[in-house]
């Protein structure tokens, strides 16, 4: 605790000796159910926010195009609008469906998809709030680096009708229709939309259809109940990666028939239902109850044949149902406010894998077309209580305390091999202590220490994780990965060249312990490879945000992140390459009856001190807004990242890049009808760069690990989108 004491001192030494005066009513803004964090002045953590209006002005094809405007956020786009979200460089290390280290909460529902990504209807977002630093004190498991809180559209302002259409590069098209009403006793709306694209990369087309709606009924002057539903059907392919920098230059669309992604042809059905009850029990107290069910059925093919990568050898059918109830009671007061919550979850995950082709598994007597190669289920129960207390010590100083206790029970059942069955329980506590000091009505200093955790998955604990080359061995002794976030910052409203500016500046450090990783490296066949608590990681950095009023003729937004993320302990990493002495024709059962050289050799590395891969040190986002005439808004954006390493051993370095984007909006009202037209150009100067670049070993099997072994997704270059909508 000695290292944390300096941060706590920074938060508490600002205590003023001023005599308390009429402080007014203070409120707890934190919530896991509703759209809170409305008043950042008394919030001791760094909070980022994007409004629905900002989303509509940006007209993004995926959420990455707006999240990059929040300091500390990086996103990994693979295809369509499917992406992974990372905060402060946490969890950019691995490939596939691992938990991202960020809690994703949509309308109070903690959402985890099988692919480890988040999918959301962009046309149904009311607001996005990002809590940076450990946030398990509110959201529990996987809030290792923070939380992204998405609230979907609701309320009387969506009464009326809206129609919209868009088109763009590579066959992109979208259609939308919404109808809503507002009355004395209720309001609600229904919205349908569809998005399609042929995709830049070969075999990367996708389609997403949405149906969502809300109904809010006013039970009385002090209570209401809201019903919500979102249904989506998606068909998407994930192809797009190539092997090596030469292929990236010569075949950026990945059209070579000799290569295909390990998993492809996804068919995803998502269904979310929730009901929220709200009641004001007094002028300063409120009760919230939220019940939900989130379903995810994902079917996809995996394991392409070596002889013909267009043929997949396995079919996968994954189904999950997340159910839960959350209750919060909050009370405000003159100097003390508090909130107490209960979080109950009952989740089930089922997975079946079936053989589609056995031509390359002649050595496996269990392989038969149509037979099950995997059949398992996981039951997860979470019981948690959490609370927040906010105390105004003096007029300028507010102290915030949070605590949460999670009990997680996992039960794994393998229907093909009962010896793999297992149960595991985790009891984990999380907390935050923070302070906000109002130096003046326009100047705040804040600081906090908070924690986050990520519990091991059942795949890591009991059955390993099926990946492109081998199943990593089970390890039931894994401990949860934990993080401690320390942060101090300032918020200030000032004038710069007579322009009002909102400034937010924070410095932070995250120390992660018991980092979970495959002990012998990612996707290797090394003997004894299994998940371990391999070491520790440190993330240090600075985040700067400058914002001005977009209603002015000229306005601008600045988001800058400096991030130094490195392994403080990672002693044993094994890089796998092909053994030069390996002879595929060798057999110990034929003359000269000598042992055959192994196919793979592994080289041990000590990665302590190495940079975390795929985490650039610098990220700068600049957006300028110009209103040349009434009804017009033109926005120009520059997004720049510095170089980064593609691998844990820090051998292969990827250069940085700067991309320029341009958006023009024209909005006008004729009578009772609102017309909106926009045009957007991304990557205006057609910059060639990599969306992602990853290295883990000798993937092209030439006995040497180098830049030709990297798995690379090339950016499609310049793209355009145009659209028109009408509301009445």
């Amino acid at each position: 605790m000695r290292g944390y004491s300096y941060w706590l001192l920074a938060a508490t030494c600002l205590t003023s000796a001023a005599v308390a005066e009429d402080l007014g009513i203070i409120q707890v803004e934190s919530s896991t159910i509703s759209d809170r964090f409305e008043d950042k002045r008394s919030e001791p953590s760094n909070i980022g926010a994007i409004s629905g209006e900002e989303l509509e002005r940006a007209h993004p094809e995926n959420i990455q195009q707006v999240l990059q405007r929040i300091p500390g956020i990086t996103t990994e786009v693979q295809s369509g609008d499917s992406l992974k979200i990372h905060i402060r460089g946490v969890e950019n290390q691995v490939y596939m469906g691992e938990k991202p280290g960020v809690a994703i909460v949509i309308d109070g529902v903690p959402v985890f998809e099988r692919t480890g990504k988040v999918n959301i209807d962009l046309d149904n977002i009311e607001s996005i709030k990002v809590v940076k630093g450990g946030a398990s004190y509110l959201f529990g498991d996987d809030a290792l680096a923070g939380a992204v809180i998405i609230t979907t559209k609701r309320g009387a302002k969506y009464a009326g009708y809206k129609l919209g259409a868009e088109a763009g590069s590579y066959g992109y098209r979208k259609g939308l229709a919404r109808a809503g009403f507002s009355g004395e006793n209720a309001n609600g709306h229904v919205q349908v939309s569809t998005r399609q694209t042929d995709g830049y990369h070969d075999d990367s087309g996708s389609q997403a259809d949405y149906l969502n709606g809300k109904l809010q009924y006013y039970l009385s002057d002090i209570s209401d109940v809201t019903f919500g539903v979102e249904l989506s059907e998606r068909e998407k392919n994930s192809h797009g990666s190539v092997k090596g920098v030469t292929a990236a230059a010569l075949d950026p669309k990945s059209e070579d028939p000799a290569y295909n992604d390990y998993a492809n042809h996804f068919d995803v059905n998502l269904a979310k239902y929730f009901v929220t009850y709200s009641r004001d029990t007094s002028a300063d107290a409120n009760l919230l109850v939220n019940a939900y069910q989130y379903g995810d059925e994902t079917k996809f093919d995996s394991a392409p044949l070596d002889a013909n990568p267009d043929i997949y050898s396995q079919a996968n059918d994954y189904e999950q149902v997340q159910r839960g109830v959350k209750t919060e009671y909050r009370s405000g007061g003159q100097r003390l406010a508090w909130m107490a919550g209960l979080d109950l979850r009952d989740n089930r995950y089922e997975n079946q894998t079936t053989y589609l082709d056995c031509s390359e598994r002649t050595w496996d007597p269990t392989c038969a077309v149509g037979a099950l190669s995997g059949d398992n289920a996981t039951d997860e129960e979470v019981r948690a209580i959490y609370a927040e207390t906010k105390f105004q010590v003096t007029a300028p100083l507010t102290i915030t305390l949070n605590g949460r206790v999670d009990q997680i029970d996992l039960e794994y059942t393998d229907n093909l091999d009962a010896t793999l069955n297992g149960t595991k329980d985790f009891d984990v506590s999380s907390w935050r202590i923070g302070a906000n000091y109002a130096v003046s009505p326009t100047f705040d200093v804040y600081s906090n220490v908070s924690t986050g955790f990520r519990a091991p998955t059942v795949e890591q604990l009991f059955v390993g994780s099926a990946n492109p080359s081998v199943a990593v061995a089970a390890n039931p002794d894994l401990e949860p990965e934990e993080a401690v976030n320390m942060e101090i910052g300032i918020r200030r409203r000032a004038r710069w060249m007579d322009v009002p500016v909102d400034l937010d500046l924070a410095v932070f450090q995250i120390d992660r312990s018991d980092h979970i990783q495959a002990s012998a490296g990612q996707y290797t066949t090394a003997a004894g490879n299994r998940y371990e608590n391999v070491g520790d990681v440190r993330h240090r950095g600075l985040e700067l945000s400058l914002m001005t009023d977009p209603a002015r003729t000229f306005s601008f937004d600045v988001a800058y992140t400096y991030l130094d993320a490195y392994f403080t302990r990672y002693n044993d990493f094994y890089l796998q390459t092909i053994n030069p002495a390996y002879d595929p024709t060798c057999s110990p059962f034929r003359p000269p009856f000598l042992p055959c050289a192994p196919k793979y050799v592994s080289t041990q590395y000590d990665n302590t001190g190495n940079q975390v891969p795929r985490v650039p040190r610098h990220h700068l986002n600049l957006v300028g807004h110009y209103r040349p005439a009434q009804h017009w808004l033109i926005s120009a954006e520059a997004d720049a990242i510095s170089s980064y390493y593609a691998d844990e051993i820090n051998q292969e370095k990827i250069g940085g890049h700067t991309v320029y984007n341009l958006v023009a909006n024209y909005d006008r009202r004729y009578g009772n009808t609102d017309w909106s037209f926009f045009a957007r150009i991304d990557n205006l100067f057609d910059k060639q760069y990599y969306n992602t670049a990853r290295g883990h070993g000798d993937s092209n099997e030439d006995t040497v690990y180098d830049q030709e072994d990297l798995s690379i997704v090339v950016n499609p270059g310049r793209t355009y989108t145009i659209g028109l909508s009408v509301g009445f």
Side-chain angles (χ1 to χ4, degrees):
M1 288 294 294
R2 179 176 297 177
Y4 309 148
S5 63
Y6 297 105
W7 292 80
L8 295 175
L9 178 63
T12 57
C13 70
L14 299 170
T15 303
S16 171
V19 177
E21 48 189 270
D22 184 7
L23 303 176
I25 301 298
I26 63 171
Q27 298 284 349
V28 171
E29 302 296 341
S30 301
S31 174
T32 69
I33 299 175
S34 66
D35 181 15
R36 297 284 176 165
F37 301 107
E38 297 164 354
D39 182 13
K40 293 174 64 174
R41 290 222 61 192
S42 61
E43 176 59 37
S45 297
N46 193 294
I47 305 293
I50 297 174
S51 66
E53 290 77 10
E54 289 178 90
L55 274 169
E56 290 185 359
R57 288 197 301 266
H59 301 284
E61 287 188 30
N62 60 64
I63 202 171
Q64 178 263 352
Q65 293 170 324
V66 290
L67 285 180
Q68 64 192 17
R69 301 182 183 185
I70 296 180
I73 301 294
T74 55
T75 52
E76 179 185 340
V77 179
Q78 291 190 341
S79 62
D81 59 358
S82 175
L83 51 83
K84 274 188 175 181
I85 299 173
H86 308 288
I87 296 179
R88 291 179 172 172
V90 172
E91 215 47 67
N92 269 320
Q93 294 94 323
V94 283
Y95 268 88
M96 300 175 69
E98 301 85 355
K99 292 183 178 181
V102 176
I104 308 296
V105 182
I106 303 177
D107 289 328
V109 179
V111 173
F112 171 68
E113 289 194 24
R114 173 66 178 87
T115 57
K117 302 175 179 66
V118 58
N119 288 301
I120 180 68
D121 181 2
L122 295 174
D123 298 298
N124 193 33
I125 295 178
E126 178 77 14
S127 66
I128 303 173
K129 303 289 176 68
V130 179
V131 182
K132 290 177 279 188
S136 291
Y137 60 86
L138 277 179
F139 302 101
D141 187 21
D142 208 32
L144 196 69
V148 176
I149 306 155
I150 298 174
T151 301
T152 57
K153 292 178 178 177
R154 68 180 69 184
K157 65 181 178 180
Y158 295 107
Y161 304 91
K162 182 178 181 179
L163 298 172
E166 297 179 11
S169 302
Y170 306 113
Y172 172 76
R173 57 266 193 207
K174 187 192 84 172
L176 177 144
R178 185 178 71 224
F181 76 96
S182 177
E184 182 178 348
N185 298 317
N187 70 77
H189 73 270
V190 174
Q191 179 174 289
V192 294
S193 64
T194 181
R195 288 172 179 256
Q196 302 177 57
T197 181
D198 299 331
Y200 167 77
H201 303 97
D202 182 55
D203 194 22
S204 64
S206 65
Q207 177 171 341
D209 299 321
Y210 297 94
L211 168 64
N212 51 66
K214 298 277 175 36
L215 174 64
Q216 183 179 26
Y217 183 74
Y218 311 120
L219 299 173
S220 68
D221 292 339
I222 60 172
S223 63
D224 64 77
V225 61
T226 300
F227 302 91
V229 60
E230 180 173 305
L231 307 176
S232 69
E233 294 183 356
R234 289 191 176 94
E235 295 179 358
K236 59 181 182 178
N237 296 330
S238 66
H239 190 46
S241 57
V242 295
K243 190 175 297 183
V245 297
T246 300
L250 300 178
D251 184 23
K253 293 186 177 183
S254 190
E255 295 176 315
D256 188 341
Y259 186 75
N260 215 333
D261 283 10
Y262 178 77
N264 211 340
H265 307 147
F266 289 84
D267 186 354
V268 183
N269 293 315
L270 306 177
K272 182 184 70 179
Y273 308 92
F274 76 91
V275 56
T276 301
Y277 171 76
S278 176
R279 179 180 177 86
D280 295 329
T281 58
S282 70
D284 307 313
N286 173 263
L287 173 67
L288 282 172
V289 181
N290 177 255
Y292 62 85
Q293 175 173 302
Y294 177 80
D296 174 354
E297 183 175 10
T298 299
K299 297 181 179 180
F300 63 98
D301 297 334
S302 63
L305 300 182
D306 293 334
N308 186 353
D310 286 332
I311 299 177
Y312 285 85
S313 63
Q314 296 188 99
N316 302 264
D317 188 349
Y318 173 87
E319 185 172 3
Q320 74 176 26
V321 178
Q322 298 173 247
R323 297 187 179 96
V325 176
K326 292 193 286 188
T327 302
E328 291 179 358
Y329 185 82
R330 68 188 62 249
S331 178
Q334 292 292 326
R335 298 186 59 179
L336 177 69
W338 60 274
M339 178 268 291
L342 177 67
D343 187 352
L344 306 176
R345 309 179 193 178
D346 186 6
N347 305 326
R348 182 172 176 83
Y349 312 92
E350 298 180 349
N351 188 39
Q352 284 191 340
T353 307
T354 306
Y355 290 116
L356 294 176
D357 190 292
C358 295
S359 60
E360 295 182 352
R361 298 181 64 93
T362 56
W363 51 269
D364 184 0
T366 67
C367 187
V369 175
L372 288 172
S373 59
D375 185 4
N376 57 71
T378 299
D379 292 291
E380 177 187 46
E381 290 187 359
V382 178
R383 305 290 182 264
I385 56 173
Y386 55 98
E388 178 172 318
T389 299
K390 186 173 289 188
F391 178 60
Q392 208 157 21
V393 180
T394 67
L397 178 64
T398 303
I399 302 293
T400 303
L401 302 173
N402 290 82
R404 177 173 170 131
V405 177
D406 280 84
Q407 182 183 64
I408 303 173
D409 298 333
L410 297 173
E411 181 178 355
Y412 173 78
T413 303
D414 193 301
N415 296 318
L416 300 182
D417 187 352
T419 64
L420 296 177
N421 294 354
T423 60
K424 187 75 173 183
D425 299 336
F426 297 102
D427 294 317
V428 188
S429 59
S430 311
W431 51 269
R432 177 182 68 164
I433 178 171
N436 190 93
Y437 187 84
V439 179
S440 73
T442 60
F443 184 22
D444 289 352
V445 179
Y446 62 90
S447 182
N448 78 87
V449 179
S450 60
T451 66
F453 77 92
R454 172 169 47 195
T457 65
V458 291
E459 288 82 5
Q460 296 165 342
L461 289 165
F462 304 121
V463 296
S465 176
N467 56 47
S469 58
V470 71
V472 182
N475 183 1
D477 297 324
L478 283 172
E479 296 294 329
E481 184 174 353
E482 298 185 343
V484 177
N485 172 80
M486 298 174 285
E487 177 179 270
I488 187 168
I490 61 172
R491 299 186 185 98
R492 186 168 188 179
R493 291 186 176 180
R495 299 188 74 86
W496 181 58
M497 299 179 63
D498 202 36
V499 176
V501 176
D502 285 346
L503 178 147
D504 202 328
L505 174 68
V507 293
F508 63 87
Q509 176 174 299
I510 300 177
D511 283 310
R512 298 164 60 191
S513 59
D514 292 326
H515 173 49
I516 300 173
Q517 188 99 308
S519 60
Q522 297 300 320
Y523 306 102
T524 75
T525 55
N529 193 20
R530 69 173 188 169
Y531 285 102
E532 301 276 7
N533 296 114
V534 297
D536 306 324
V537 191
R538 172 166 287 175
H539 306 251
R540 282 178 169 171
L542 176 147
E543 295 166 349
L544 170 66
S545 173
L546 290 173
M547 302 181 68
T548 62
D549 183 3
R552 299 173 61 92
T553 302
F554 294 96
S555 61
F556 65 89
D557 300 328
V558 179
Y560 169 71
T561 305
Y562 169 77
L563 181 57
D564 182 20
Y566 59 95
F567 298 105
T568 54
R569 181 173 63 89
Y570 195 175
N571 301 328
D572 293 307
F573 178 88
Y574 293 87
L575 185 78
Q576 180 178 275
T577 56
I578 297 297
N579 185 354
Y582 170 67
D583 180 1
T585 65
C586 176
S587 171
F589 306 105
R590 294 197 302 266
F593 303 105
L594 296 176
C596 295
K599 180 176 181 179
Y600 301 102
V601 293
S602 296
T603 304
Q604 192 269 346
Y605 287 84
D606 183 352
N607 288 334
T608 301
N610 282 5
Q611 294 291 305
V612 174
R614 293 167 295 282
V615 178
R617 288 205 175 191
H618 303 277
H619 181 198
L620 175 64
N621 183 270
L622 302 173
V623 182
H625 305 286
Y626 173 51
R627 295 184 178 275
Q630 189 180 16
H631 312 302
W632 283 95
L633 174 65
I634 298 175
S635 301
E637 177 183 40
D639 191 73
I641 68 168
S642 61
S643 60
Y644 59 90
Y645 287 105
D647 50 15
E648 280 85 349
I649 67 171
N650 286 186
Q651 175 179 300
E652 301 303 328
K653 198 169 190 178
I654 307 301
H657 62 264
T658 301
V659 179
Y660 299 90
N661 308 314
L662 190 64
V663 183
N665 287 275
Y666 181 81
D667 301 300
R668 188 155 190 171
R669 185 174 183 84
Y670 293 96
N672 295 324
T673 305
D674 294 312
W675 294 83
S676 295
F677 170 81
F678 83 91
R680 176 176 179 127
I681 303 176
D682 288 282
N683 199 349
L684 181 64
F685 299 111
D686 203 21
K687 175 73 174 180
Q688 297 299 307
Y689 65 95
Y690 304 153
N691 279 354
T692 61
R694 302 170 178 272
H696 67 271
D698 183 15
S699 60
N700 64 358
E701 300 190 352
D702 64 356
T703 75
V704 177
Y705 168 67
D706 56 22
Q707 61 185 356
E708 297 300 338
D709 295 297
L710 298 180
S711 178
I712 296 171
V713 177
V714 180
N715 182 269
R718 181 170 48 241
T719 61
Y720 73 89
T721 314
I722 58 173
L724 175 68
S725 65
V726 56
F728 51 93

